[in-house]
Amino acid sequence: TTFPPTARLNQNQKYFIDEVWGYQPCVWKMILVGVGAVCSGGLLLLLLYWLPEWGVKGTCTHTSLRDAHTLLLRSTIHYFTHHNTKYSSLFIYCLLIFRHQVLNPFYIFQLFSVILWSTNDYYYYASAIVFMSVMSLATSLYTIKKQYVMLHDMVAAHSVVRISVCRENKDVEEAMSTELVPGDVIIIPANGLIMPCDAVLISGTCIVNESMLTGESVPVTKTSVPNSGEEGAETYNPEEHKRYTLFCGTHVIQTRFYTGELVKAVVVTTGFNTEKGQLVRSILYPKPTDFKLYRDAYLFLLCLVGVAGIGFLYTIVLSILNKVPTKTIITKSLDIITITVPPALPAAMTAGIVYAQRRLKSVGIFCISPQRINMCGQLNLVCFDKTGTLTEDGLDLWGIQRAEDGSFSPPEAEAAKDSLVNTAFVACMATCHSLTKIEGEISGDPLDLKMFNATGWILEEPTEEETALHNPIMPTVVRPPKQELSEISVSDCLCLFEICFSYEIGIVKQFPFSSALQRMSVVVRRLGEKHMDAYLKGAPEVVVSLCKEETVPGSFSETLEAYARQGFRVIALAHRQLEPKLSWHKVQSLNRDVIESNLDFLGLIIMQNKLKEETAGVLKDLRQANIRTLMVTGDNMLTAISVARDCGMIRSHERVIIAEASPPRDLQPASITWRYVETPDGVCGEQDQQDQSYHFAVSGKAFAVITEHFPQLIQKLVLRATVFARMAPDQKTQLVEVLQSVDYIVGMCGDGANDCGALKRAHSGISLSELEASVASPFTSSTSNISCVPNLIREGRAALITSFCVFKFMALYSIIQYLSVTLLYSKSSHHCGLFLSAVSLNSAWKELVWRRPPSSLISGPLLFSVLSQMLTSLVFQVLAFLLVQQQSWYEKWTPLSDACNVSSASLFHSQNVTPPQSHNNIKNYENTTLFYVSSFQYLAVAIVFSKGKPFREPSYKNWPFMLSCIGLYTFLFLIMLNPIPAVDSFLEIVCVPHDWRITLVIIVIVNAAVSFMLETLVLDIVLWRLVFRDSQGLNQMAIDRWGSAFLSWLFCWNNKPPRMRYMHLARQLQEDPDWPPGPSTVTYASQPQSLTPIGPHVTPVQMRQ
């Protein structure tokens, strides 16, 4: 096959690669690059390494993909390259990662800074930076190596095994799993294995543990793919035919097979194309987290680079005017750059995240994506799965309600009564499941297990020896316990023998539960009967649609609604007697649609699902913290609404509006009927349309219709929708994407079953399952309740505030030093290294507050904080710099000057001795003065930036930080008020009079007071309360109206639209008199050509019934 030089790939796949180009090395281009690298001292190679696209185009020529040595791929995100290179060992791969870390632009800048500082004899500071960088690199490499070893072990557990492969001549040969290719027919051994590939079953049945993929440890039954009927004629699709597919990495526990036949499967995909391969790929190459903090950090650094450029030029010009030697000009001007752009910034920024990760681990929350911890601090909406997350995992059988002759019998508490043994209802409960025996214990879905145990029946599976004695597959058999049969009255003795020896039911064929179909069914045969029976269970609405109308009780809807209102989970049962002509083998190839039709309705099973103890309290805390909560479940709509009321998502006085959508049919457009649900106090229907205490509830079916036919409404709905019921797994992911499209920062909490897609897609996914599926979720909790969610948000807020504090401190540290150097044309000694880690040790505050931390460095509070402290530092440095020159004892310092001894200085001047001149004049009165002032400024900004409440514990509880502050304050006051000659000589500061030292104490105290008042009083109290709080969409207090109005006018706040799209939409809907729609209102879809993005003039056509 001839491939073009450029191709478009994956147009309809999950991983979007728009285009790919082929390149091969070009000799003359490589020579030119080599010459450029030599001339630039290697900088050209670094530039090409940082920009791979330029590197490929600069050293290679365009060619076809078949002949290509290097591929250049363009995705929707960025360019990246692929070379046909294989790494023989993990050690070599780690070396490549180490090279990638070392050649990071920040580390290159650190290396440049260390070399420059060494030339200026700044050995102590250079040594400290080298030590920090080496430790950071070593820790990073160790962590990466540890993760890759774990990942390698996880993959190697199944990737290299021996497996039996069927060949064309019907021979079976042993082969390594690494040699498998799609199309190979493999044999699944009776004792099972861990699948090395994705394969579809073509014969036999397997019991599989799919916990690695689904997060649920319940074994599932996989049946062979049908070879006849409508489903057998379909093209295989791994998404639609999961119940026939054995996925890579899943554990086949045991198999069922025919005599003389083997359990066989056809290899579909291998390697990274398998389900587990995609999981591993998502771990190796996670979705990029587009967090505004990091984008703003780079913009802020660019601003610092601009400031450094100004200082660079300023230093060069002044040095030339002062006739400074060329070497000194170069070192001074380059030193300005290293001062302004702090090399230790990356390590300092990640310190808060590292400490937060440790604290999360101590409370049982494990993180595989540390950068997402900061995102948790910005969460304003959390989606919760219901079963196993908000409610208990297990369901308790509350009772049953059978249907006879088209009406319901009274509810019954037990199904194991003697009078029900021979009924179709109990037979359905005992047979319609996917339970199996593993090592003598019945195992399977908890719901199936609870239903089967309620009957009291016994399940028996054939042994391997029994299977070998029969031609057809030996079925799983269920029968009543002997003790129940023995209690039958003597008057029925004529029937006793027949019942005891004939009432065994064999499960001939299983159609496993399908999330899409919301039902499962079985074909069974009772011992001694000439015909077979079909039993079905599933969602009541689905089961009723498959039953004969005359067998469904007239009060079905009212009964179902009554149970759903009380929060019960309801399952419907149905039965059908099959034709006698159906043989055993014919049933095996029968399509489920043929079986699951024309059924007799049997009745309802009522299951009780209790809330977990922690649920209501956690949701209350989240609501008080201004964090919205949603329920996304596969359960019944009314059951979900009832649970939402019980747990506090929907309060008792709030209305619930169900959006019931219907697709277009019979020339009728798609429509939405808005149905108001009664509140617990019985209120329903007409209320004040402008009353904002309402919630929408949407089913999975309605969600699909609205998404397709009402795109202008979907964003309006999600602003107020609280309950999403009967949602399929892919719809959960779509919902997360819709919420993100209106600028919500979305968290998702689930138990791992059917939630993997949403957990991965959300900004912060929290899995309550510790199984391997949790490796796809950024966070995994060892506790099986949602109390981990507020803990994670608290730590995220603390980490985010810490990142801001450290960034602000590093920025001010650079600016303060920059101001001093600009004033002095030289660099003094500084002592700030102790703060970089200690300032990050504040723990998270014990409770969630309504206020959220800013998400951007370009926000009003942070800009005010940085600029005000910068201006304060400038004012006091200039003040001290000018005041020292106005002192009576001031003179241009020389090695013989001594301001502490005026007579000595007078003698020196009387002798008229010319002192030696030095262009690197560090010792002088200005330098000493600014050293003291700037040192105290570092301490002041470190303290005022190290904030406590409401996001972190107070700084006085951070003992390392407090000890550092106390120690440094003591040291600075000691050397300032009581000079020590040895220390002065080491720090290269000079002696100044005692009166000037007292003046400096006053200056630094006033400086600290002004910094504290600006940060605490002005910013945290006045501006946050009157201006900035409105940016989070909160109502202002009446007593603040005058201040808010004035400051909003001052900051042009009134004319500023909301930054978040959901706030903008909420404001539009508040002004819309027709929203929410009234009771029984029907909204019809607009014509396709009139569908436009949501806006103030787009209103759907509505008709009142």
Side-chain angles (χ1 to χ4, degrees):
T1 303
T2 303
F3 295 95
T6 304
R8 298 185 67 84
L9 300 178
N10 295 349
Q11 305 247 344
N12 299 311
Q13 302 296 325
K14 294 180 181 178
Y15 304 97
F16 292 97
I17 298 177
D18 294 337
E19 291 181 282
V20 57
W21 296 271
Y23 288 87
Q24 60 182 2
C26 177
V27 176
W28 66 269
K29 285 187 176 183
M30 296 177 70
I31 293 175
L32 286 180
V33 169
V35 172
V38 172
C39 295
S40 63
L43 293 179
L44 179 60
L45 293 180
L46 275 177
L47 181 64
L48 297 181
Y49 179 80
W50 293 334
L51 301 171
E53 180 192 359
W54 293 11
V56 172
K57 292 181 178 180
T59 57
C60 302
T61 55
H62 216 0
T63 186
S64 65
L65 297 182
R66 181 179 59 184
D67 301 327
H69 174 271
T70 301
L71 298 180
L72 182 63
L73 311 176
R74 183 175 67 85
S75 71
T76 54
I77 303 172
H78 55 261
Y79 285 90
F80 56 99
T81 60
H82 171 72
H83 303 270
N84 55 353
T85 307
K86 295 182 179 179
Y87 307 121
S88 58
S89 70
L90 185 64
F91 176 74
I92 296 177
Y93 189 66
C94 289
L95 286 180
L96 294 174
I97 295 174
F98 180 72
R99 184 191 69 177
H100 178 73
Q101 294 280 340
V102 170
L103 295 182
N104 182 282
F106 264 110
Y107 284 115
I108 297 298
F109 181 68
Q110 283 184 346
L111 178 63
F112 164 75
S113 302
V114 166
I115 294 174
L116 181 64
W117 295 332
S118 299
T119 60
N120 287 338
D121 298 333
Y122 302 148
Y123 297 118
Y124 298 109
Y125 192 60
S127 301
I129 293 296
V130 169
F131 177 76
M132 289 174 57
S133 300
V134 170
M135 291 300 295
S136 175
L137 280 171
T139 304
S140 176
L141 184 63
Y142 173 77
T143 304
I144 292 174
K145 182 178 181 295
K146 184 178 179 181
Q147 291 177 349
Y148 277 102
V149 167
M150 292 174 61
L151 195 60
H152 180 270
D153 293 342
M154 186 180 86
V155 175
H158 63 266
S159 61
V160 185
V161 295
R162 284 199 168 273
I163 197 162
S164 300
V165 184
C166 298
R167 298 305 182 190
E168 292 182 0
N169 54 5
K170 296 186 178 181
D171 290 340
V172 177
E173 67 177 34
E174 295 290 321
M176 298 300 296
S177 57
T178 53
E179 300 172 358
L180 293 176
V181 295
D184 281 344
V185 178
I186 60 175
I187 297 173
I188 311 299
N191 58 349
L193 82 162
I194 298 178
M195 290 297 297
C197 59
D198 285 358
V200 58
L201 268 177
I202 58 174
S203 66
T205 305
C206 293
I207 309 298
V208 186
N209 184 343
E210 291 189 325
S211 62
M212 192 281 303
L213 293 178
T214 65
E216 195 168 271
S217 59
V218 177
V220 295
T221 302
K222 300 284 185 173
T223 58
S224 57
V225 66
N227 52 18
S228 62
E230 183 180 344
E231 194 170 8
E234 293 179 0
T235 303
Y236 172 77
N237 185 307
E239 292 295 326
E240 297 178 4
H241 300 103
K242 286 186 176 181
R243 56 189 178 276
Y244 312 123
T245 306
L246 304 174
F247 293 106
C248 178
T250 60
H251 183 201
V252 178
I253 301 171
Q254 65 184 40
T255 63
R256 308 267 187 82
F257 50 90
Y258 293 94
T259 302
E261 295 188 19
L262 300 170
V263 178
K264 298 178 182 178
V266 176
V267 176
V268 180
T269 53
T270 60
F272 277 114
N273 293 324
T274 64
E275 285 289 321
K276 186 165 186 177
Q278 292 180 14
L279 177 62
V280 173
R281 174 162 39 193
S282 70
I283 300 171
L284 287 170
Y285 311 105
K287 181 185 70 175
T289 53
D290 185 22
F291 197 31
K292 194 170 177 57
L293 167 65
Y294 302 114
R295 286 187 279 122
D296 291 345
Y298 284 112
L299 289 176
F300 202 88
L301 285 177
L302 286 177
C303 294
L304 291 180
V305 169
V307 173
I310 295 174
F312 178 81
L313 296 176
Y314 178 71
T315 303
I316 290 177
V317 171
L318 286 182
S319 298
I320 292 175
L321 292 178
N322 293 330
K323 298 181 180 181
V324 177
T326 304
K327 179 182 177 182
T328 306
I329 294 176
I330 294 174
T331 55
K332 283 185 177 181
S333 56
L334 292 178
D335 195 31
I336 282 286
I337 298 176
T338 64
I339 288 172
T340 313
V341 183
L345 182 61
M349 284 285 286
T350 57
I353 297 176
V354 171
Y355 292 127
Q357 189 175 7
R358 291 180 181 176
R359 290 193 295 268
L360 285 173
K361 188 175 181 180
S362 67
V363 295
I365 301 175
F366 303 95
C367 175
I368 62 171
S369 181
Q371 296 301 323
R372 288 184 183 251
I373 295 178
N374 274 338
M375 277 194 174
C376 295
Q378 275 297 306
L379 290 181
N380 51 21
L381 185 147
V382 182
C383 301
F384 291 97
D385 182 35
K386 184 180 79 69
T387 306
T389 304
L390 298 175
T391 60
E392 297 288 351
D393 283 319
L395 292 170
D396 296 322
L397 182 68
W398 181 85
I400 62 174
Q401 191 161 13
R402 296 183 296 131
E404 294 179 344
D405 301 326
S407 62
F408 279 118
S409 301
E412 300 170 86
E414 295 183 8
K417 296 190 295 188
D418 298 342
S419 58
L420 300 179
V421 171
N422 203 24
T423 61
F425 190 95
V426 173
C428 183
M429 291 180 65
T431 58
C432 195
H433 54 70
S434 57
L435 300 177
T436 185
K437 272 194 173 182
I438 300 174
E439 297 181 355
E441 294 290 331
I442 299 179
S443 180
D445 185 273
L447 176 61
D448 288 348
L449 197 58
K450 188 70 68 173
M451 287 173 52
F452 182 77
N453 289 337
T455 65
W457 285 35
I458 298 171
L459 182 141
E460 296 177 347
E461 289 185 335
T463 62
E464 188 173 341
E465 293 77 12
E466 290 174 331
T467 306
L469 296 175
H470 297 78
N471 248 343
I473 184 172
M474 280 291 290
T476 298
V477 174
V478 295
R479 59 177 175 80
K482 292 180 180 179
Q483 58 269 25
E484 285 191 6
L485 296 175
S486 64
E487 294 172 2
I488 297 177
S489 64
V490 179
S491 61
D492 296 329
C493 60
L494 294 177
C495 303
L496 182 60
F497 179 82
E498 180 183 352
I499 294 176
C500 289
F501 290 95
S502 68
Y503 204 72
E504 290 186 356
I505 302 178
I507 303 174
V508 178
K509 174 73 173 177
Q510 285 184 352
F511 295 101
F513 177 79
S514 167
S515 298
L517 300 176
Q518 297 181 353
R519 64 182 185 265
M520 78 161 291
S521 60
V522 293
V523 176
V524 304
R525 186 168 190 172
R526 179 175 168 177
L527 185 61
E529 295 285 355
K530 294 183 178 180
H531 63 82
M532 298 185 188
D533 295 278
Y535 290 108
L536 178 140
K537 72 173 182 183
E541 304 94 330
V542 175
V543 173
V544 166
S545 67
L546 302 173
C547 291
K548 300 174 187 175
E549 187 175 349
E550 62 271 15
T551 65
V552 179
S555 60
F556 169 80
S557 299
E558 293 79 4
T559 303
L560 177 62
E561 186 170 340
Y563 285 127
R565 284 186 188 281
Q566 300 175 59
F568 291 118
R569 181 170 181 180
V570 183
I571 298 168
L573 306 182
H575 163 258
R576 175 186 173 186
Q577 181 176 311
L578 301 178
E579 297 79 6
K581 63 180 181 180
L582 282 177
S583 65
W584 195 298
H585 286 284
K586 196 169 184 180
V587 167
Q588 301 302 321
S589 59
L590 210 57
N591 188 10
R592 73 184 297 168
D593 292 335
V594 177
I595 300 293
E596 298 171 349
S597 62
N598 203 30
L599 298 158
D600 295 329
F601 185 76
L602 293 179
L604 304 174
I605 300 176
I606 301 98
M607 312 292 288
Q608 190 175 20
N609 194 200
K610 298 178 181 178
L611 281 178
K612 293 182 178 179
E613 294 181 2
E614 302 83 3
T615 297
V618 169
L619 294 180
K620 181 180 178 182
D621 291 342
L622 294 177
R623 183 172 63 251
Q624 291 176 344
N626 193 31
I627 297 173
R628 188 179 161 200
T629 55
L630 304 182
M631 181 192 299
V632 189
T633 178
D635 209 341
N636 175 274
M637 170 67 77
L638 294 178
T639 302
I641 293 174
S642 174
V643 172
R645 288 196 186 277
D646 291 342
C647 67
M649 278 189 184
I650 301 174
R651 284 173 280 189
S652 59
H653 66 281
E654 294 176 328
R655 295 173 294 162
V656 176
I657 307 172
I658 298 179
E660 298 177 340
S662 301
R665 62 167 66 92
D666 299 331
L667 302 179
Q668 289 290 329
S671 62
I672 305 175
T673 302
W674 309 93
R675 184 163 66 88
Y676 281 55
V677 179
E678 290 185 4
T679 58
D681 54 12
V683 178
C684 180
E686 296 293 341
Q687 295 187 37
D688 182 8
Q689 287 293 101
Q690 296 306 310
D691 180 11
Q692 296 299 310
S693 59
Y694 66 90
H695 300 263
F696 287 114
V698 184
S699 67
K701 176 184 174 183
F703 183 80
V705 173
I706 294 171
T707 302
E708 181 178 357
H709 299 285
F710 297 87
Q712 77 277 16
L713 280 183
I714 189 64
Q715 292 184 344
K716 290 184 178 181
L717 271 179
V718 298
L719 288 181
R720 282 286 181 174
T722 302
V723 175
F724 293 85
R726 296 294 189 206
M727 295 286 281
D730 59 329
Q731 289 180 321
K732 294 183 180 182
T733 307
Q734 292 174 18
L735 173 62
V736 170
E737 293 172 348
V738 172
L739 292 168
Q740 291 173 337
S741 71
V742 291
D743 296 336
Y744 276 114
I745 308 298
V746 183
M748 175 70 194
C749 181
D751 60 353
N754 299 326
D755 298 322
C756 288
L759 287 170
K760 288 195 293 184
R761 189 67 185 89
H763 291 105
S764 176
I766 311 152
S767 172
L768 301 186
S769 168
E770 291 188 84
L771 301 172
E772 283 185 319
S774 63
V775 81
S777 177
F779 302 95
T780 302
S781 174
S782 59
T783 57
S784 58
N785 58 67
I786 63 172
S787 61
C788 61
V789 176
N791 289 336
L792 183 59
I793 296 175
R794 288 190 303 106
E795 290 295 347
R797 290 182 173 186
L800 185 60
I801 287 297
T802 298
S803 296
F804 285 139
C805 292
V806 171
F807 193 94
K808 291 194 297 182
F809 172 73
M810 293 299 294
L812 260 297
Y813 160 77
S814 299
I815 293 298
I816 291 171
Q817 200 173 20
Y818 174 81
L819 295 174
S820 301
V821 171
T822 305
L823 290 172
L824 299 171
Y825 312 115
S826 63
K827 181 180 177 184
S828 302
S829 302
H830 301 282
H831 310 276
C832 305
L834 292 175
F835 296 104
L836 299 183
S837 58
V839 76
S840 305
L841 289 174
N842 292 49
S843 300
W845 183 240
K846 57 187 176 183
E847 61 184 28
L848 285 173
V849 295
W850 60 265
R851 198 173 101 192
R852 285 188 299 274
S855 61
S856 169
L857 286 169
I858 316 297
S859 63
L862 291 176
L863 285 178
F864 176 84
S865 176
V866 171
L867 293 178
S868 61
Q869 297 298 332
M870 190 183 303
L871 184 61
T872 301
S873 300
L874 174 63
V875 168
F876 281 94
Q877 282 201 33
V878 171
L879 176 64
F881 184 79
L882 296 178
L883 279 179
V884 71
Q885 298 178 15
Q886 303 302 317
Q887 301 303 308
S888 58
W889 47 264
Y890 175 81
E891 63 180 359
K892 187 173 182 180
W893 190 89
T894 66
L896 300 178
S897 298
D898 187 2
C900 297
N901 190 343
V902 179
S903 60
S904 174
S906 301
L907 179 62
F908 162 73
H909 284 291
S910 64
Q911 293 176 352
N912 205 12
V913 178
T914 303
Q917 297 293 326
S918 172
H919 295 289
N920 190 22
N921 186 17
I922 293 178
K923 289 186 174 183
N924 55 62
Y925 299 120
E926 296 92 338
N927 194 2
T928 299
T929 298
L930 289 184
F931 166 72
Y932 288 131
V933 173
S934 61
S935 296
F936 279 102
Q937 285 180 340
Y938 296 140
L939 282 167
V941 295
I943 292 173
V944 298
F945 285 162
S946 183
K947 296 181 180 180
K949 292 176 60 178
F951 305 116
R952 303 196 304 171
E953 291 284 355
S955 295
Y956 62 78
K957 292 187 177 182
N958 183 353
W959 291 109
F961 177 71
M962 291 303 298
L963 291 176
S964 300
C965 290
I966 294 172
L968 287 174
Y969 264 122
T970 302
F971 174 75
L972 287 175
F973 276 118
L974 179 65
I975 64 173
M976 186 168 68
L977 297 177
N978 186 25
I980 302 174
V983 175
D984 288 355
S985 175
F986 178 78
L987 297 178
E988 298 186 280
I989 56 180
V990 299
C991 183
V992 292
H994 186 267
D995 292 343
W996 179 240
R997 296 176 187 272
I998 299 300
T999 304
L1000 288 179
V1001 170
I1002 297 173
I1003 290 176
V1004 297
I1005 290 176
V1006 174
N1007 187 356
V1010 171
S1011 296
F1012 179 80
M1013 291 179 60
L1014 285 173
E1015 188 73 16
T1016 304
L1017 181 63
V1018 178
L1019 176 62
D1020 289 348
I1021 297 179
V1022 178
L1023 293 181
W1024 258 115
R1025 187 176 182 183
L1026 299 180
V1027 178
F1028 297 135
R1029 66 178 296 186
D1030 189 51
S1031 67
Q1032 299 194 17
L1034 300 174
N1035 295 324
Q1036 300 167 5
M1037 298 173 60
I1039 59 174
D1040 296 333
R1041 286 179 181 171
W1042 65 270
S1044 176
F1046 172 74
L1047 290 176
S1048 295
W1049 170 81
L1050 183 64
F1051 286 90
C1052 302
W1053 207 267
N1054 289 328
N1055 299 325
K1056 195 173 182 181
R1059 291 176 299 171
M1060 300 300 178
R1061 183 168 176 78
Y1062 68 86
M1063 295 169 58
H1064 180 70
L1065 293 176
R1067 180 178 292 183
Q1068 287 186 359
L1069 295 181
Q1070 284 181 353
E1071 300 170 356
D1072 187 350
D1074 296 325
W1075 192 265
S1080 302
T1081 299
V1082 180
T1083 302
Y1084 292 98
S1086 305
Q1087 294 298 323
Q1089 62 268 23
S1090 67
L1091 294 180
T1092 58
I1094 187 169
H1097 304 294
V1098 179
T1099 56
V1101 178
Q1102 296 183 348
M1103 297 175 59
R1104 287 190 179 272
Q1105 293 181 346

